[in-house]
Amino acid sequence: MKREKCGKRFLKYCPFGLYDAECLQIWLEKCAESGIFLTGSGSIFPGVLMMEYGEPEICRYRILSVLPRTQDDREMYRMMEESGWKFVAEGSAGMEIYYTDNPDAPEIHSDPDLQAEETGRVKKYNFALDFPLFILMMAVWRFGLRSKTGISAADVVWLCLMALFWILSLAVRWRSFSIQEKRLKDRIEIDEKYYRNMLLWRQIYRFCMLGCLGAMIVFVAIKII
């Protein structure tokens, strides 16, 4: 059945990244039940997806980090379409998103061991990105020391909040990645409890990161003003 589109596209906050494949699949399916679908535009920036309205339906989304390839990719896509799956969007690191509203379409999935390996690589990559943020925090600290007013007691509060949120974000992200890796290695089926648990961890992490950046911006604004 061809999905009817309403033509209106919009940006929607997404709590999960492509490395949270199973949770993101569930989130997309819940959106589809409400008549909101992912478009082929893919991600705009982390945490936001381009979506469009359509008729509510029960469907399946699958995010694959590794696909069985043939010498001709067009042939591979043809085989996927013939089995009832449609290519929707391509994400980072070669991850691809597929969709079907056919309940009889055969299941497709990535190998759990490969997913666990990919999650480990993503974890290391994400933690490597925290180093520039640490350098930026040090630069902000030096900026405060060199300002005319120096560092006041109020400034220390903002700097401590900035450091606290940053440390908490590291701890929360490490914990959520560890939970995800363990589930993949033990091949435990995802359920609603796990989904809500991961949703909570991701929300806490993003709150901590926004708190760190917010404290940094306020501190710099105070010193400039």
Side-chain angles (χ1 to χ4, degrees):
M1 181 178 66
K2 184 176 177 60
R3 168 159 49 93
E4 294 296 329
K5 300 178 182 178
C6 297
K8 183 177 180 181
R9 296 188 174 189
F10 60 97
L11 296 177
K12 182 175 176 62
Y13 169 74
C14 177
F16 299 107
L18 283 171
Y19 48 84
D20 295 310
E22 292 89 349
C23 290
L24 181 53
Q25 288 167 181
I26 294 175
W27 183 82
L28 288 170
E29 290 165 3
K30 288 178 180 290
C31 287
E33 293 175 5
S34 302
I36 300 174
F37 301 87
L38 177 68
T39 71
S41 302
S43 298
I44 302 301
F45 55 87
V48 177
L49 295 176
M50 180 67 73
M51 311 291 281
E52 65 182 349
Y53 289 113
E55 291 296 324
E57 66 181 26
I58 296 177
C59 65
R60 283 180 287 165
Y61 280 93
R62 291 297 178 265
I63 301 168
L64 307 181
S65 58
V66 177
L67 282 174
R69 298 287 184 177
T70 64
Q71 292 183 347
D72 187 345
D73 281 346
R74 290 175 296 179
E75 177 67 15
M76 186 272 295
Y77 285 123
R78 185 185 65 79
M79 290 188 295
M80 296 287 289
E81 287 191 10
E82 287 181 353
S83 66
W85 290 93
K86 303 293 183 182
F87 175 76
V88 179
E90 183 176 356
S92 59
M95 302 185 78
E96 298 172 326
I97 304 176
Y98 288 83
Y99 152 94
T100 184
D101 59 1
N102 180 6
D104 298 322
E107 185 60 60
I108 57 174
H109 59 82
S110 293
D111 184 89
D113 292 333
L114 291 174
Q115 285 183 298
E117 183 180 342
E118 179 68 22
T119 300
R121 285 197 297 266
V122 171
K123 180 172 70 172
K124 293 176 182 177
Y125 174 74
N126 274 265
F127 278 102
L129 291 179
D130 285 313
F131 182 70
L133 181 58
F134 176 77
I135 297 299
L136 181 59
M137 290 171 57
M138 294 298 98
V140 169
W141 175 266
R142 287 178 61 85
F143 170 76
L145 289 175
R146 293 185 177 184
S147 64
K148 294 180 180 180
T149 57
I151 298 293
S152 65
D155 294 336
V156 172
V157 172
W158 285 110
L159 288 169
C160 288
L161 280 174
M162 182 172 60
L164 176 62
F165 277 125
W166 182 69
I167 293 172
L168 285 175
S169 70
L170 292 179
V172 169
R173 183 159 53 179
W174 182 272
R175 175 58 178 166
S176 61
F177 270 121
S178 298
I179 293 173
Q180 186 179 8
E181 284 183 297
K182 185 178 187 305
R183 187 192 66 78
L184 288 170
K185 289 179 181 178
D186 295 343
R187 306 201 175 191
I188 301 172
E189 290 293 327
I190 191 171
D191 54 18
E192 186 67 19
K193 181 180 179 181
Y194 175 87
Y195 170 79
R196 294 191 176 279
N197 187 29
M198 290 302 293
L199 177 62
L200 177 62
W201 280 112
R202 293 308 185 204
Q203 298 289 61
I204 294 175
Y205 165 71
R206 289 184 177 175
F207 172 78
C208 290
M209 284 300 294
L210 288 175
C212 177
L213 293 174
M216 191 182 302
I217 291 171
V218 171
F219 173 79
V220 172
I222 290 175
K223 303 311 291 184
I224 292 176
I225 296 174

